[in-house]
Amino acid sequence: MKCDSCDEKATVFYTQIADGKLKKFVLCESCANEKGITSPDGLLMAEEILNPSVTAGVEAEIFPVDSASECASCGFTLNDYQKVGRLGCPDCYSTFTREIEQRLPSLHKGAEHTGYVPEGLAERLAFSDEMSALQERLQAAVDEENYEEAAKVRDEIDQLKSQEIEA
Amino acid sequence: MMRFTTLLKHPADWMTGDDGGASVVLTSRVRLARNLANAPFPGWARKAQRREVMQELRDHLNELPPMKDGFSHELSDLTSLQKQVLVERHLISREQAARNEGSASVVNRKQSLSLMVNEEDHLRIQAIRPSLQLKEAYELAQKVDQTLEDKVTYAFHGKWGYLTACPTNLGTGMRASSMLHLPGLVLSDQIGQVLKGIGKMGLAVRGLYGEGTESLGNLYQISNQSTLGESEEAILERLTKVIGDVARYETQARAKLLKEDEVMVQDRIGRAAGTLTYARIISSKEALNHLSMLRLGADLGIMPGSLIGICDRLFMETQPAHLQWDAGKKLSPDTRDIMRAEMIRDQLHSALPPAIDISGKEN
Ligand SMILES: [Zn+2]
Ligand SMILES: [Zn+2]
C-alpha cells in the first residue's frame, strides 16, 4: 500500500470519523512524522493536510490502528496471528508489536528480556544504548540552546562511532 | 552416522540412574528455543525454505564436539514407529514426530543432548540430566547454544530477547522441567493441594501419562511458564527451590504413611509385586500404577533398592512404541499387553524372582 502523501510504502494507518463518516488514510512513517500525526496534538493538523473539506473547527475522532495488517517480510497477516497465536517470521514482531505487547502480561512475568544475551550482540546493544543516550542529551542541549554542551556531546558521539569502527 | 538401532541399544545416560538422589526427582530437562534471523518460522515456511534452514543448521550441529558420531536424521527418513520411540524417550516432541521433510533430529550418543531442527522453532536445544539437576542441564544446553551463536545469526530483539514462533517462549526461550514421582502425596491425598500451590507460584504442572488431571504412575512434570522478564538463573533457581520443596513434602508424606498406615502401604506394594511378577496380560495403565508402587517399596526399603532403576526403565520401555520396536514388528493392543507382561517379568527377575514358575515349561 502506498502512502497517501508520497510514493513510499505506507506503515501508519488511521481511521477517522468525521461528520458521522468513516474515512481511512495511510501514510509512510516519515510523512506521518513530518505531519506530526504520531502525536495526539498533531491530529488537527492532519485534518487540514489530508481532508481539506473538514475545517479545523469540526470535531473529529481519530483512532490510530498502528500495525500493518500484513508482515512485509513473510506475508503473515494479523488475522493469521489472531487465529493461531503464533507468528510467521522474526520480523512479524516488529509488524504486530502492539498486538503482541498487549498479550505479553498474560503470558510472562515481565515485559523485557533480562536474561542471557548472545556475546557479539551484547556489545552491539550496549553500543546502541549508549548512542541513544548521547543523542537524547544532544537533543536536550539543542532544545535548551546550550550550544557548548551540544558541541561536547557531538564530540562524544563521534568518538563512540570511531570506537565502533575500530572494534 | 549412528543408526537408529545403535542409538536404542544403549540406555540414555540419565536413565541408568544409580544415584540415590533420584528417588523423587527422576530427570531434569532444559530446552532452549532459537531461530535464525532471516527465515520464516517452520510452521509458516515453504518446504524449500525449511530445507534450507535445516541444511544450514545440520551442518553446524553435526560438527559440534558432543554430537560427534551421534544420531542425525531427517524425520522423513524415519518410520512412524521409530518416531514414536523417540517421543517416548523424550528425544523429540510429539509435534516434531508429525513432521517429515525439512525437519531433523540430532541426538548425541549418551542421549543427554537432543537437537530438534524445524520443530515449532528453527532449533530447540534440549539437555537431559538425571535427578534434580536443572542448572547442570542448562549449562549443557548453553554450551551448544554459545558455540552456535558464533556461526549463525539468531533472531534476537533488544527488548524481547530471543524471538520465537510463539510469544509464549519469548525472551530466554527456555523451558526447564523436572519429572517427579509422587506416590506419597497421592496416597495421602495431599497431591491436589500441592499442585494448586505450584500453580500459584506461576509454574506449570501436569501428569506425565494419562489424560486431564489423571496421572498414571504418579508421575508429574513441573516446569516454568514465563520466559520473559526473568533471567535464566532466576527461573532455574525458583524452579529448583519449588521442586526441592515438593520432593521434601513427598519424602515426609512417605515416612508418615509408613508410620500411620503401614499395612495399607505394605498391601499396595505387595499386590503390585505379585501382579507384576505373575501377570501374563497387563495394560499400560495397570503396569504404570503397579510399577509406581513397586518403586515406592524400593525407596522405603521394603523392596530391593535396585528396583528403582529397573522401574524407571520400565516406565519408558513398556510404552507401545518401545514394545513394538523390541518385538521387531507392529503389535495389536492385545498382543502388546502380553508382551508388556513378559518384558516386566524379564526385567524384574534379577531383583524379584517369582517363587514358582507358572508357565509349566520348566520345573
Ligand atoms: Zn509518505
Ligand atoms: Zn513476518
Side-chain angles (χ1 to χ4, degrees):
Chain A
M1 214 181 290
K2 272 185 192 168
C3 170
D4 286 349
S5 196
C6 75
D7 277 342
E8 288 295 328
K9 199 177 137 354
T11 54
V12 182
F13 296 70
Y14 281 93
T15 303
Q16 168 199 299
I17 300 163
D19 298 332
K21 279 186 203 152
L22 197 84
K23 191 180 183 317
K24 289 182 179 177
F25 50 89
V26 295
L27 291 171
C28 73
E29 203 150 2
S30 65
C31 288
N33 281 334
E34 200 182 308
K35 293 168 165 60
I37 289 178
T38 44
S39 75
D41 296 343
L43 294 184
L44 283 181
M45 220 165 93
E47 295 287 277
E48 285 168 13
I49 296 157
L50 289 155
N51 201 353
S53 66
V54 181
T55 52
V58 174
E59 259 187 82
E61 248 187 298
I62 296 187
F63 304 99
V65 182
D66 277 28
S67 300
S69 57
E70 190 178 311
C71 173
S73 302
C74 76
F76 202 72
T77 66
L78 186 55
N79 197 21
D80 289 331
Y81 169 61
Q82 279 155 351
K83 234 185 284 168
V84 301
R86 294 181 194 175
L87 296 151
C89 81
D91 293 339
C92 286
Y93 278 94
S94 344
T95 315
F96 309 124
T97 300
R98 205 176 79 140
E99 285 70 22
I100 293 163
E101 224 156 37
Q102 281 171 345
R103 205 177 142 208
L104 291 181
S106 67
L107 299 176
H108 299 294
K109 289 219 154 196
E112 270 178 51
H113 180 60
T114 55
Y116 178 72
V117 176
E119 231 152 80
L121 263 176
E123 285 155 31
R124 263 176 279 159
L125 289 174
F127 171 80
S128 72
D129 276 358
E130 209 173 322
M131 187 56 92
S132 51
L134 284 172
Q135 256 142 9
E136 262 172 50
R137 264 177 61 199
L138 178 64
Q139 189 58 50
V142 170
D143 288 348
E144 289 165 18
E145 298 185 16
N146 183 348
Y147 298 112
E148 203 178 317
E149 164 77 1
K152 218 176 87 191
V153 177
R154 233 176 248 129
D155 285 346
E156 282 180 49
I157 289 177
D158 286 345
Q159 203 185 342
L160 186 64
K161 275 186 188 154
S162 68
Q163 276 171 4
E164 167 77 353
I165 292 159
E166 276 164 37
Chain B
M1 199 192 302
M2 188 192 260
R3 291 168 54 201
F4 185 82
T5 324
T6 320
L7 179 76
L8 284 205
K9 243 182 222 148
H10 309 280
D13 78 335
W14 40 270
M15 278 303 302
T16 49
D18 36 17
D19 60 299
S23 86
V24 177
V25 184
L26 281 74
T27 54
S28 296
R29 265 195 291 168
V30 167
R31 73 115 174 92
L32 303 173
R34 297 291 184 256
N35 288 280
L36 302 186
N38 296 309
F41 297 128
W44 183 242
R46 270 187 281 271
K47 203 188 269 178
Q49 294 171 312
R50 271 207 307 274
R51 247 200 231 121
E52 219 173 282
V53 167
M54 180 182 76
Q55 213 71 59
E56 180 183 354
L57 281 172
R58 259 181 99 184
D59 287 347
H60 293 304
L61 299 180
N62 292 341
E63 272 174 29
L64 294 169
M67 309 319 281
K68 214 172 162 274
D69 303 321
F71 174 86
S72 174
H73 286 276
E74 189 167 354
L75 271 281
S76 51
D77 292 341
L78 301 173
T79 66
S80 64
L81 180 62
Q82 289 174 326
K83 290 190 214 173
Q84 210 44 51
V85 170
L86 294 177
V87 171
E88 288 175 2
R89 285 214 171 194
H90 308 289
L91 296 175
I92 66 172
S93 63
R94 230 166 264 285
E95 170 154 357
Q96 199 188 9
R99 296 185 178 261
N100 287 303
E101 252 176 284
S103 179
S105 159
V106 180
V107 180
N108 70 342
R109 194 164 271 272
K110 293 192 282 186
Q111 298 166 48
S112 54
L113 274 169
S114 148
L115 313 175
M116 292 170 244
V117 179
N118 280 338
E119 193 236 31
E120 182 181 295
D121 293 297
H122 291 145
L123 178 64
R124 290 201 163 177
I125 304 167
Q126 179 187 256
I128 315 182
R129 299 310 306 139
S131 70
L132 181 50
Q133 296 193 68
L134 289 169
K135 271 182 197 139
E136 289 78 357
Y138 172 64
E139 280 160 18
L140 201 58
Q142 200 195 21
K143 216 173 263 171
V144 172
D145 185 41
Q146 287 177 328
T147 311
L148 283 174
E149 76 189 18
D150 295 334
K151 302 185 171 170
V152 299
T153 308
Y154 282 146
F156 189 90
H157 188 276
K159 185 176 171 195
W160 286 343
Y162 290 97
L163 298 178
T164 50
C166 184
T168 50
N169 298 313
L170 202 57
T172 59
M174 183 184 79
R175 189 85 54 210
S177 65
S178 283
M179 198 207 289
L180 288 84
H181 184 222
L182 306 174
L185 291 173
V186 172
L187 287 178
S188 62
D189 261 337
Q190 298 177 77
I191 191 73
Q193 207 184 326
V194 170
L195 297 190
K196 227 197 224 160
I198 297 168
K200 273 193 192 143
M201 308 270 313
L203 301 173
V205 56
R206 64 174 186 88
L208 196 67
Y209 302 110
E211 307 275 312
T213 53
E214 181 189 44
S215 172
L216 303 177
N218 305 312
L219 293 166
Y220 293 86
Q221 184 178 292
I222 302 178
S223 63
N224 64 305
Q225 251 171 333
S226 164
T227 54
L228 181 68
E230 268 180 305
S231 69
E232 289 83 355
E233 287 72 23
I235 295 171
L236 292 170
E237 211 165 285
R238 196 158 55 91
L239 204 51
T240 301
K241 190 191 170 296
V242 171
I243 292 168
D245 285 346
V246 174
R248 218 166 10 259
Y249 298 148
E250 168 64 21
T251 309
Q252 287 163 3
R254 288 178 189 181
K256 195 160 175 242
L257 274 173
L258 200 58
K259 208 169 134 204
E260 293 173 4
D261 236 337
E262 194 183 6
V263 178
M264 183 274 281
V265 175
Q266 287 170 342
D267 181 66
R268 294 287 192 107
I269 294 166
R271 281 165 186 272
T275 303
L276 293 172
T277 44
Y278 285 102
R280 256 47 189 174
I281 302 168
I282 194 163
S283 71
S284 174
K285 182 177 173 172
E286 193 183 2
L288 285 168
N289 287 334
H290 286 320
L291 285 169
S292 170
M293 285 303 118
L294 202 57
R295 194 183 191 278
L296 174 66
D299 182 59
L300 291 174
I302 298 172
M303 289 283 163
S306 62
L307 282 173
I308 292 186
I310 295 172
C311 286
D312 288 353
R313 269 178 67 177
L314 284 170
F315 280 138
M316 185 178 289
E317 291 177 4
T318 54
Q319 295 301 299
H322 270 84
L323 277 178
Q324 298 180 74
W325 180 258
D326 192 57
K329 57 174 188 248
K330 207 167 166 14
L331 304 172
S332 70
D334 287 349
T335 318
R336 285 207 296 263
D337 289 351
I338 295 171
M339 302 295 287
R340 182 177 295 113
E342 192 180 315
M343 176 188 273
I344 292 172
R345 292 198 313 275
D346 273 357
Q347 298 213 17
L348 292 184
H349 198 275
S350 60
L352 214 61
I356 41 169
D357 178 21
I358 59 167
S359 71
K361 280 177 196 153
E362 289 168 44
N363 30 358

